């Protein structure tokens, strides 16, 4: 079994917060690893907590920073920075994939770079921060992590509804509608979907735990690539 690259102190340095080492190890433990090692505890309870902390912190930041925005616009921006795709991007920015504790199958099929796993683990790390360092530290962590996302206004529409954004962009560029293909791997109770989307001579792949999430991940990647042409 391949161990995570680096130790928890390196990750905490990237996060800029002190987290109990055992709690951080739990946050990094995917259920596939836990099942392969005698049904150890895994990170899904921390993920549940972190999801709530993430939503609250993002809401407070947006509310205080943008007094000019109506509720609908605030909700749209919040959705863009707490989505699976956005959280996976945050996770990649700190190299989180290298620290994951994954089962052999997940590791061998690219689990360290799957949007769903990265996003869920990011939420678990936020949950661990809340328990270990308190609400203020967890809120500050979330706000530091999502700051670059909020600074990019082009992402709001695309991150919330990447398939529609991609279709609209393809039309503006004179291409036919995007074409999607879906492949699935793994047992029925733990399926992983890979979507391939093509527009013109460009195509991108995305993964997710549902067809919808896989298509959204692929669409956002291709939207970004095509946006660079305009």
């Amino acid at each position: 079994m391949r161990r995570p690259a680096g130790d928890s102190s390196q990750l905490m340095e990237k996060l800029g917060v002190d987290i109990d080492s055992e709690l951080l190890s739990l946050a990094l433990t995917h259920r596939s690893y836990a099942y392969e090692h005698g049904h150890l505890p895994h990170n899904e309870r921390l993920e549940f907590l972190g999801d709530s902390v993430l939503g609250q912190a993002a809401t407070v930041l947006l509310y205080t920073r943008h007094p000019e925005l109506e509720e609908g616009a605030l909700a749209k921006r919040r959705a863009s920075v707490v989505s699976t795709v956005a959280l996976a991007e945050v996770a990649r920015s700190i190299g989180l994939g290298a620290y994951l504790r994954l089962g052999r199958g997940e590791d061998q099929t690219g689990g360290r770079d799957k949007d769903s796993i990265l996003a869920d683990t990011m939420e678990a790390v936020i949950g661990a921060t809340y328990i270990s360092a308190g609400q203020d530290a967890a809120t500050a962590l979330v706000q530091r992590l999502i700051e670059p996302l909020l600074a990019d206004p082009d992402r709001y529409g695309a991150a919330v509804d990447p398939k529609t954004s991609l279709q609209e962009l393809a039309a503006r560029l004179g291409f036919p509608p995007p074409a999607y293909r879906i492949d699935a791997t793994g047992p029925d109770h733990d399926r992983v979907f890979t979507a391939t989307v093509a527009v013109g001579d460009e195509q991108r792949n995305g993964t997710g735990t549902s067809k919808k999430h896989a298509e959204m991940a692929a669409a956002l990647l291709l939207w970004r690539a095509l946006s660079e042409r305009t």
Side-chain angles (χ1 to χ4, degrees), residues 114-187:
K114 289 179 181 175
D115 282 0
S116 56
I117 292 178
L118 288 172
D120 290 348
T121 306
M122 195 71 254
E123 288 181 337
V125 169
I126 292 168
T129 302
Y130 180 92
I131 293 176
S132 186
Q135 181 175 355
D136 290 345
T139 298
L141 172 63
V142 169
Q143 294 180 353
R144 285 197 305 273
L145 292 173
I146 68 174
E147 187 76 33
L149 307 183
L150 293 173
D152 180 10
D154 288 340
R155 77 165 39 252
Y156 298 143
V160 175
D161 190 356
K163 293 183 67 176
T164 299
S165 295
L166 177 61
Q167 184 169 336
E168 292 173 348
L169 179 57
R172 289 200 302 272
L173 295 175
F175 292 113
Y180 292 87
R181 187 184 76 247
I182 290 285
D183 298 300
T185 58

Side-chain angles (χ1 to χ4, degrees), residues 2-23:
R2 184 163 82 90
R3 293 290 182 178
D7 58 30
S8 58
S9 63
Q10 293 174 326
L11 179 57
M12 282 190 284
E13 185 175 347
K14 293 179 180 181
L15 294 170
V17 64
D18 289 327
I19 307 172
D20 176 81
S21 59
E22 290 187 6
L23 199 57

Side-chain angles (χ1 to χ4, degrees), residues 204-224:
R204 294 293 186 275
N205 299 324
T207 62
T209 54
S210 70
K211 294 179 181 179
K212 178 183 177 180
H213 288 157
E215 288 180 344
M216 289 176 63
L220 184 58
L221 290 173
L222 186 51
W223 176 85
R224 288 175 181 161

Side-chain angles (χ1 to χ4, degrees), residues 67-135:
E68 78 283 2
L69 294 180
E70 297 294 332
E71 184 270 343
L74 290 171
K76 186 175 181 180
R77 296 196 181 197
R78 180 179 59 189
S80 76
V81 298
V82 302
S83 69
T84 295
V85 172
L87 286 178
E89 183 176 334
V90 168
R92 290 188 184 97
S93 74
I94 60 173
L96 186 64
Y99 299 88
L100 301 181
R101 303 173 78 194
L102 297 177
R104 184 176 291 104
E106 280 291 358
D107 205 355
Q108 292 176 346
T109 56
R112 294 180 188 277
D113 196 45
K114 289 179 181 175
D115 282 0
S116 56
I117 292 178
L118 288 172
D120 290 348
T121 306
M122 195 71 254
E123 288 181 337
V125 169
I126 292 168
T129 302
Y130 180 92
I131 293 176
S132 186
Q135 181 175 355

